Amino acid sequence: MKFSALICIYFKDDDVYFYEAYDSILNQTLLPSEIVVVVDGPVPGKLKNSITKFEEHALEKKIEFKIIWLTKNMGHGIARQTGLVQCKYDLVALADADDINYVDRFRIQVDYFKSHSKVSVLGAQIREVDHSSKKPLSLKKVPCNSVELSTYLKTRCPFNQMSVMFKKKDVLNSGGYIDFFNNEDYYLWVRMEVSGYIFANLSSVLVDARVNELFYNRRGGLKYFLSEVKLQRYMLKNGVISLGLYILNISIRFLVQIVIPPKIRGKIFQLLFRRKL
């Protein structure tokens, strides 16, 4: 079963981390048939050189390779959608520019799709590691079956996005990726839930995700909170959540994203939503 791998890169990505990320893609037990790289605006010379090496190494392995250079930084949602429509194959694996994919990730996920034809989106568990030392820090666990995922989606994003593989046609039929400040993925999954598509997560850890001191800063602030409010309103309007749960979700997000300082916010996430290693 042929599939595409989609990676988005922007100027803040580290060239060394990106090398490790793409090396983990090129050393899979099942290689992608195509790799699509979206460069979201101008990037430093070192990162540009790493992208060139990525292309060279991929072509050596007979992998189709496509680079899309955006003239300015458009943001995660637009970059991902731009790359998605250019993917040649219906099965698409997402990969981040700094995370490390386990060697069997693609083979395991493709095998799952072969035996579960009704599933549209498949994710996995991830291990969070220190961004520089790669010391294991915690596990970010998400539910596995469709029923549990539908319940989980009412309060939190149901996928670790760097572990996701999905069917392109189902994603595009739901509107694809839409710019939605730091919530493009969650917004997409909610729309797919409303459309009746089936989700699943594997119980296996398939990706090491780098985290640093800025990781939890991105999960707070007024702009992020307002994005969350907009998403919760969409969920309420489309019957995904009740009015009571809408009020509860907004209240919790206001407390965590606006009232609580980032350092304490990080400790709360680690305590409530992570399993320490």
Side-chain angles (χ1 to χ4, degrees):
M1 182 181 288
K2 293 186 175 183
F3 69 98
S4 301
L6 174 60
I7 306 103
C8 295
I9 305 168
Y10 80 134
F11 69 98
K12 288 186 179 180
D13 286 319
D14 184 281
D15 63 291
V16 175
Y17 297 167
F18 175 60
Y19 170 81
E20 293 182 335
Y22 85 65
D23 187 63
S24 74
I25 293 172
L26 295 180
N27 285 288
Q28 291 283 308
T29 55
L30 178 64
L31 291 171
S33 308
E34 175 194 52
I35 295 173
V36 177
V37 175
V38 180
V39 186
D40 189 11
V43 295
K46 287 185 177 181
L47 190 53
K48 188 177 293 186
N49 290 339
S50 292
I51 296 168
T52 300
K53 290 178 182 178
F54 186 17
E55 180 178 23
E56 292 171 354
H57 294 161
L59 293 175
E60 288 173 2
K61 293 179 177 286
K62 310 300 182 183
I63 301 172
E64 301 174 69
F65 201 92
K66 185 180 298 180
I67 306 178
I68 302 168
W69 300 90
L70 301 182
T71 56
K72 63 178 181 178
N73 181 255
M74 302 299 294
H76 171 80
I78 294 175
R80 179 92 17 108
Q81 179 69 5
T82 301
L84 180 59
V85 297
Q86 293 295 320
C87 286
K88 183 176 180 179
Y89 301 101
D90 186 52
L91 204 58
V92 178
L94 302 183
D96 272 7
D98 57 356
D99 297 329
I100 301 169
N101 301 279
Y102 288 17
V103 67
D104 287 332
R105 177 198 160 185
F106 294 159
R107 178 185 59 78
I108 291 170
Q109 291 187 299
V110 168
D111 284 348
Y112 186 93
F113 274 105
K114 286 179 179 178
S115 58
H116 297 79
S117 60
K118 293 183 179 180
V119 170
S120 296
V121 184
L122 176 66
Q125 315 304 318
I126 63 170
R127 182 176 68 167
E128 294 179 337
V129 301
D130 179 78
H131 68 112
S132 57
S133 69
K134 292 186 287 188
K135 175 185 175 181
L137 300 174
S138 58
L139 291 178
K140 185 171 181 290
K141 305 283 284 183
V142 283
C144 293
N145 70 59
S146 183
V147 174
E148 291 176 343
L149 278 166
S150 292
T151 300
Y152 192 87
L153 175 140
K154 297 175 187 294
T155 55
R156 299 189 63 211
C157 184
F159 293 106
N160 295 312
Q161 64 88 15
M162 69 286 291
S163 74
V164 165
M165 183 178 283
F166 54 58
K167 294 175 180 175
K168 173 183 174 179
K169 66 178 185 301
D170 294 346
V171 169
L172 293 181
N173 284 342
S174 301
Y177 279 91
I178 297 172
D179 186 41
F180 206 101
F181 186 75
N182 281 352
N183 271 307
E184 292 90 353
D185 296 285
Y186 195 0
Y187 184 36
L188 172 60
W189 312 139
V190 170
R191 285 183 282 116
M192 293 188 75
E193 170 76 8
V194 170
S195 298
Y197 290 106
I198 297 175
F199 300 153
N201 275 313
L202 296 166
S203 60
S204 307
V205 175
L206 294 183
V207 178
D208 276 351
R210 280 186 159 95
V211 297
N212 58 25
E213 61 276 5
L214 299 176
F215 181 78
Y216 296 106
N217 287 3
R218 296 196 296 269
R219 282 151 178 78
L222 180 60
K223 193 172 182 179
Y224 187 71
F225 172 70
L226 293 177
S227 173
E228 291 269 10
V229 170
K230 185 178 178 181
L231 178 56
Q232 293 296 319
R233 286 175 179 167
Y234 178 87
M235 293 167 71
L236 176 64
K237 180 180 178 181
N238 287 274
V240 177
I241 57 175
S242 65
L243 178 59
L245 187 53
Y246 168 80
I247 294 171
L248 178 62
N249 284 346
I250 293 299
S251 300
I252 292 173
R253 282 160 171 76
F254 179 78
L255 179 64
V256 173
Q257 297 167 5
I258 299 296
V259 177
I260 295 176
K263 287 186 178 180
I264 299 178
R265 181 189 308 136
K267 292 180 180 179
I268 291 174
F269 269 85
Q270 288 290 333
L271 180 64
L272 299 180
F273 307 125
R274 304 293 190 270
R275 182 183 298 175
K276 295 290 288 184
L277 295 175

